[in-house]
Amino acid sequence: MTTKEMVYAALFAALIGVLGMIPPIPLGFIPVPITAQTLGVMLAGCFLGKKTGALSLVLFIVLVALGLPLLSGGRGGLSVLVGPSAGYILSWPIAAFFIGFAIEKVWSSLKIWKVIVINFVFGVVLVSLIGAPVMAIITHTSIWAGLVGATAFLPGDLIKAIIVAVIAIQLKAVSPIEQKLNN
């Protein structure tokens, strides 16, 4: 791993921490709030690629585990990683990896609709398929109820996927993926 990749990973971990400063939107029927941080997860995969994108989220989770209040609402510490949001948070490096993997595969023919689909499949659906069952197990509810409750995130997450796609297309020329493929 190059110094540049480490700096990018640290910058994106910081960006996701800054997105945590946007107040969460609590939902009364599910113990996991709506946050802006999944936007950063999708952007990490789209801009950094699979390896550096996933590393940025692993770094972020390590910082949260150490107690830094980087999650929305100023949350941090190990307790967050065993609470109802744990599955969602722990799915973030996986989502960034798969988003980056898919983006790298279609990089030469990158179109906004492809980025939206990739973000939706891996940044929304995959995160929910991991996070909702873990939340259900932790809260002692049925997995089906957790998955149904997670549908509340779909409209906002789709909007985030579109925003990230627009940003990613605009930043394509300066992305480390572009630089890696041109060398």
Side-chain angles (χ1 to χ4, degrees):
M1 171 159 273
T2 68
T3 303
K4 192 174 191 177
E5 289 171 322
M6 288 187 277
V7 170
Y8 274 129
L11 284 172
F12 269 79
L15 171 68
I16 295 164
V18 169
L19 289 169
M21 297 175 90
I22 298 171
I25 301 170
L27 302 172
F29 56 91
I30 188 170
V32 177
I34 295 172
T35 71
Q37 290 182 297
T38 49
L39 186 141
V41 173
M42 290 184 247
L43 191 57
C46 286
F47 184 77
L48 299 176
K50 63 182 183 232
K51 183 173 114 184
T52 311
L55 179 67
S56 69
L57 273 301
V58 169
L59 174 60
F60 178 80
I61 291 171
V62 167
L63 294 173
V64 167
L66 290 173
L68 274 66
L70 298 175
L71 293 169
S72 66
R75 298 175 301 141
L78 288 174
S79 63
V80 177
L81 300 178
V82 294
S85 299
Y88 290 97
I89 296 164
L90 295 174
S91 73
W92 290 351
I94 299 165
F97 176 85
F98 281 109
I99 290 168
F101 178 80
I103 290 290
E104 288 176 15
K105 289 292 182 192
V106 299
W107 190 259
S108 61
S109 64
L110 202 60
K111 302 275 187 258
I112 196 161
W113 69 267
K114 290 179 183 180
V115 182
I116 292 169
V117 169
I118 290 168
N119 283 336
F120 187 77
V121 170
F122 297 116
V124 178
V125 175
L126 178 65
V127 168
S128 290
L129 288 176
I130 296 170
V134 172
M135 177 198 62
I137 291 166
I138 290 171
T139 60
H140 305 290
T141 57
S142 74
I143 291 175
W144 180 251
L147 289 169
V148 169
T151 61
F153 299 121
L154 292 179
D157 284 345
L158 178 59
I159 292 168
K160 290 181 234 177
I162 293 167
I163 291 168
V164 168
V166 170
I167 293 169
I169 293 293
Q170 296 299 313
L171 296 177
K172 182 181 181 198
V174 295
S175 170
I177 299 170
E178 179 78 16
Q179 296 165 6
K180 190 184 320 178
L181 295 177
N182 286 334
N183 290 335

